[in-house]
Amino acid sequence: MSLESYKTEGFFDELFASDGVPHPAAAGLVEQLDALSRADLKRRQKQAEDILYQSGNTFNVYGDKKGTEKILPFDIIPRLVSAADWAKLERGINQRIRALNLFIQDIYNDQKILKDKVIPAELIFSSACYLKPCEGLSPPKGVWTHISGTDFVRDGDGEFYVLEDNLRCPSGISYVLENRAVQKRILPKAFQTLKVRPVSNYGDHLYKTLKFIAPEGKDEPNIVVLTPGIYNSAYFEHAYLAQQMGVPLCQNSDLVVEDDTVYMRTTQGLKQVDVIYRRIDDEFIDPQVFRKDSLLGVPGIMNAYRKGKVALANAPGTGIADDKAVYAYVPKIVKYYLGEDAIAQNVPTYICEDDKERDYVLANLDKLVVKAVNLSGGYGMLIGPKSTKAEQKEFAEKIRAKPRDYIAQPTLSLSRAPTLIGNGIEGRHVDFRPYSLFGEDVFTLPGGLTRVALKKGSLVVNSSQGGGSKDTWVLGEENYYGVAE
């Protein structure tokens, strides 16, 4: 299937430097795609979809009349990240996560950054993500953000910019691993010749990270994954990660707290639990401390955590660092705690709580992307250039009513990647979420979830809004001889 006719249409493209001219790192892949007939490529695409369907890798979309359980659409043409681009991304993520971890520790303890007026105190205390019950907490080994997923976009200048930090319960890693497993079967020759860095060892790294935070003396800790249950949007992923690590998947009814110690109910009786990778949001995790009406959490688990009887990943309270308004201050946070300039750059952000910035946002709603600070999944957004006057009016009223709840950013010219659409290949906008683990050190998996907006011209890549995914191939250095998976 020749890519000669593929047009970049003025966008930065992940495979092509210009029409018909691939980036040097992508030349080998483009050559191999060109060697496939259209029928062969479509056959392989169908084969990939069948494999993913049979694996049952699903997510739930709440309130969809066509059914809640979905298979995430997968595009057979991978997205490449060059070794040089990856090296910079990796340094930037590492720096960012270390700084945000120090920030959370400070916010719930000494609050030096507020006393030094680097960040307005009212911005922190007005956040729905600031959890007073977490004041005074110091998690095991000083780590709050064990698992994170940092969202990047590439703008028209070819640079990656951080769009969001996801530090609470970032989802999507199961698609990364499943997509790779499928891609190896569908395009084996291309996969082997491009020296693609492996991702299949994520489960081992995750287990090692969780083991690191186990209470002292627990050389072989009992680790579990705690899920809200089968109706959660990411239930498949919870089960998948438990299986990858070889640890039990639990719901709240499987756990009980006695004498500030967490136990798992087993057929042999109660078994002490040392580390919990919890996929339940903070406010639901313990009805004795947070929401009293929660039927998902485990009563008493926070007391056990405070007394060091069990470790929780991620630590409760991490959400204060991925509040979308706090995001605007991350470069200052990096500078304050590490004394360094941020390597990974932010997208310029207007905080609607600020009078001047709010006035600018309200006057330019047709040009900006407006986001609700505590929503995700593409919900609560206004994409100005594609919005109607009525939608702009609606958002203006929301912003005036609760300015703290909104931020705005310029509309970026998101990069595109060649995507198989119908019988042809067309450019579609993409973003990128690498996943990092913070235990003894920060490890970022050399890969990640590339989400693709399958609708022509759309900038919304979220799976809940009809987006799909691609396998992401991080290429090794010229002298990289790591064996592909």
Side-chain angles (χ1 to χ4, degrees), residues 357-407:
E357 295 190 9
R358 181 173 64 254
D359 289 344
Y360 177 82
V361 171
L362 290 172
N364 293 277
L365 284 173
D366 59 331
K367 304 179 184 68
L368 300 171
V369 175
V370 180
K371 297 178 181 177
V373 297
N374 291 318
L375 291 179
S376 59
Y379 297 102
M381 287 177 63
L382 175 80
I383 299 180
K386 296 185 180 296
S387 64
T388 64
K389 290 293 182 187
E391 289 169 334
Q392 292 167 26
K393 183 181 178 184
E394 176 189 343
F395 266 77
E397 291 171 356
K398 289 180 178 179
I399 291 169
R400 290 190 182 98
K402 293 184 177 180
R404 174 61 179 80
D405 290 353
Y406 292 91
I407 56 107

Side-chain angles (χ1 to χ4, degrees), residues 179-341:
N179 287 353
R180 176 60 56 84
V182 170
Q183 195 81 62
K184 284 189 298 182
R185 295 171 62 179
I186 301 302
L187 293 175
K189 185 178 176 183
F191 184 81
Q192 291 165 3
T193 56
L194 268 70
K195 296 179 180 174
V196 182
R197 296 185 63 180
V199 298
S200 63
N201 55 0
Y202 179 82
D204 294 337
H205 283 284
L206 178 58
Y207 184 85
K208 185 179 175 183
T209 299
L210 298 175
K211 185 177 179 182
F212 176 73
I213 60 173
E216 293 297 329
K218 295 286 186 177
D219 296 332
E220 296 299 330
N222 185 23
I223 300 171
V224 304
V225 175
L226 178 60
T227 176
I230 60 172
Y231 297 110
N232 184 267
S233 62
Y235 177 75
F236 172 88
E237 178 159 296
H238 306 162
Y240 183 87
L241 291 175
Q243 184 271 334
Q244 288 284 305
M245 291 191 289
V247 306
L249 177 68
C250 295
Q251 292 184 224
N252 62 338
S253 57
D254 298 315
L255 302 179
V256 62
V257 178
E258 293 183 359
D259 298 327
D260 297 325
T261 303
V262 182
Y263 295 94
M264 177 175 61
R265 295 184 173 95
T266 76
T267 53
Q268 284 80 42
L270 296 180
K271 182 178 181 181
Q272 187 171 345
V273 174
D274 305 303
V275 182
I276 299 175
Y277 177 22
R278 54 99 181 188
R279 296 296 297 259
I280 296 178
D281 292 340
D282 288 344
E283 58 184 326
F284 295 100
I285 197 169
D286 186 343
Q288 291 181 357
V289 176
F290 300 109
R291 284 185 57 155
K292 310 298 182 191
D293 59 344
S294 171
L295 301 176
L296 304 173
V298 181
I301 199 171
M302 283 297 290
N303 250 354
Y305 179 58
R306 278 186 175 280
K307 295 190 175 182
K309 298 289 189 69
V310 70
L312 299 177
N314 286 338
T318 54
I320 189 59
D322 69 12
D323 180 308
K324 291 183 177 65
V326 174
Y327 155 92
Y329 289 87
V330 172
K332 291 182 178 178
I333 289 172
V334 171
K335 190 74 173 179
Y336 183 80
Y337 292 107
L338 302 181
E340 302 169 0
D341 292 328

Side-chain angles (χ1 to χ4, degrees), residues 123-173:
L123 186 77
I124 299 299
F125 298 130
S126 62
S127 172
C129 299
Y130 180 78
L131 303 179
K132 196 169 179 58
C134 294
E135 290 178 351
L137 273 180
S138 285
K141 310 290 175 62
V143 180
W144 292 75
T145 56
H146 309 92
I147 300 106
S148 58
T150 310
D151 284 350
F152 286 88
V153 292
R154 190 163 4 208
D155 199 5
D157 60 3
E159 288 291 323
F160 281 102
Y161 294 86
V162 177
L163 192 63
E164 292 180 9
D165 298 287
N166 297 286
L167 304 173
R168 283 170 275 185
C169 298
S171 294
I173 186 63

